[in-house]
Amino acid sequence: MWNFPNCLGTLDGKHVVIESPAKSGSLYFNYKKTFSIVLLALVDANYRFISVDVGSYGKNSYSGIFGTSKLGKALCEGKLNLPDDAKLPGSDIVAPYVIVGDEAFPLTKNLMRPFPGTQTHDIEKRIFNYRLSRARRLVECAFGILTQTFRFYTRRLKSDPNNATSIILTICILYNIIRKNKANFNLDETLNESSNENRLVNFKKHGGNAQTEAFIFIFTLPCTFNCDPISFQALHLQILSLYRGHFKSYNSGLFLTINC
């Protein structure tokens, strides 16, 4: 992973901005002066989520959230089924497989963080920090792709924390499905389909107000996609039931291991 051998994934958190919940005090108020819940994610080399933890208070630190999460506890107790220690490329040095994070996370055998800034006068430590930073950027890029794909991340989520947690988990599943199938998407085959009947409706070009045509399109949208009318809530429940085996609840929120 980006010239960082024996790396299993990169770890970081993202604050998802929500409306201030009623009678919540400062529980959801974060250092960015907004109200949020935290999405803590472990990302692989293909920008896909390996595991996520959603639902913690915005006021909590990433390190504290990780320490109380199921992923953090399993890593600390050695129950993650990590590969055996292996030699580093081009050397006889045996090193453990690690997850990389920034200065917010603790330094353990299987969790690597950069050297403090006061020690970067050493050229070897500076190079190490550079390599670790390159690997860690994957999770930042994954959050960026997630935000650009699902644009509601760019604005305040108007939902109570429980519903917001379910929405974010569902979006993480959809994001992984999109990332997995992105390489298999063939634009030429899509453009060369024999018929466009019973698919998207093409409106004629015209000026002025097109409300009539727009309403016709909205009410015929389910038929356009050859499916029964379905609400977002029903779709959400279908997705959750499909991946029910991946969800487990615990004290600090919901934890999801994604195998898409």
Side-chain angles (χ1 to χ4, degrees):
M1 181 183 286
W2 287 94
N3 300 121
F4 200 96
N6 293 17
C7 182
L8 298 172
T10 62
L11 183 69
D12 203 1
K14 174 180 176 61
H15 286 273
V16 181
V17 180
I18 62 174
E19 284 194 335
S20 175
K23 300 180 181 180
S24 63
S26 61
L27 288 176
Y28 295 92
F29 194 70
N30 60 47
Y31 69 95
K32 298 180 179 180
K33 311 300 182 183
T34 60
F35 293 89
S36 67
I37 57 177
V38 178
L39 164 61
L40 188 71
L42 179 64
V43 175
D44 66 12
N46 297 313
Y47 306 102
R48 292 188 294 191
F49 296 127
I50 300 173
S51 68
V52 298
D53 177 278
V54 187
S56 297
Y57 298 133
K59 72 169 188 176
N60 294 342
S61 66
Y62 294 158
S63 177
I65 296 171
F66 177 73
T68 57
S69 69
K70 190 171 182 179
L71 174 64
K73 292 178 179 178
L75 183 66
C76 180
E77 297 170 2
K79 297 180 180 179
L80 271 188
N81 250 348
L82 299 180
D84 295 332
D85 297 356
K87 292 182 179 179
L88 297 177
S91 72
D92 294 326
I93 300 174
V94 177
Y97 281 86
V98 296
I99 296 170
V100 298
D102 59 15
E103 298 88 348
F105 297 98
L107 177 64
T108 67
K109 176 183 177 182
N110 298 111
L111 180 58
M112 200 62 58
R113 54 169 285 173
F115 285 101
T118 56
Q119 301 182 21
T120 53
H121 60 276
D122 187 327
I123 186 64
E124 292 184 354
K125 293 180 180 179
R126 194 183 311 166
I127 293 174
F128 173 85
N129 280 6
Y130 168 72
R131 295 293 187 188
L132 186 143
S133 178
R134 285 187 66 192
R136 197 184 60 79
R137 280 188 303 180
L138 288 172
V139 67
E140 301 288 354
C141 292
F143 286 147
I145 298 170
L146 179 71
T147 301
Q148 291 300 314
T149 305
F150 301 96
R151 298 306 295 266
F152 81 86
Y153 281 108
T154 63
R155 57 183 183 270
R156 184 181 294 107
L157 185 57
K158 297 183 178 181
S159 179
D160 67 83
N162 291 331
N163 287 340
T165 297
S166 298
I167 291 170
I168 295 168
L169 285 170
T170 303
I171 294 301
C172 289
I173 294 173
L174 294 176
Y175 168 85
N176 262 21
I177 294 173
I178 292 172
R179 292 299 303 173
K180 180 180 180 180
N181 296 326
K182 191 175 181 64
N184 299 326
F185 177 75
N186 191 322
L187 182 60
D188 293 334
E189 291 181 3
T190 303
L191 295 176
N192 294 330
E193 289 183 347
S194 58
S195 174
N196 195 40
E197 295 181 0
N198 297 324
R199 294 181 183 274
L200 291 178
V201 177
N202 293 320
F203 291 140
K204 296 180 180 179
K205 294 182 179 179
H206 51 76
N209 195 328
Q211 288 186 354
T212 303
E213 290 82 357
F215 276 110
I216 292 174
F217 177 68
I218 289 174
F219 286 115
T220 60
L221 188 61
C223 299
T224 302
F225 285 95
N226 292 326
C227 64
D228 296 328
I230 185 169
S231 65
F232 172 78
Q233 184 178 8
L235 177 61
H236 169 67
L237 292 176
Q238 284 187 6
I239 295 174
L240 291 185
S241 63
L242 180 63
Y243 289 93
R244 189 178 300 277
H246 298 293
F247 290 89
K248 295 180 180 178
S249 56
Y250 67 105
N251 292 335
S252 64
L254 290 176
F255 175 80
L256 168 67
T257 299
I258 302 177
N259 296 319
C260 299

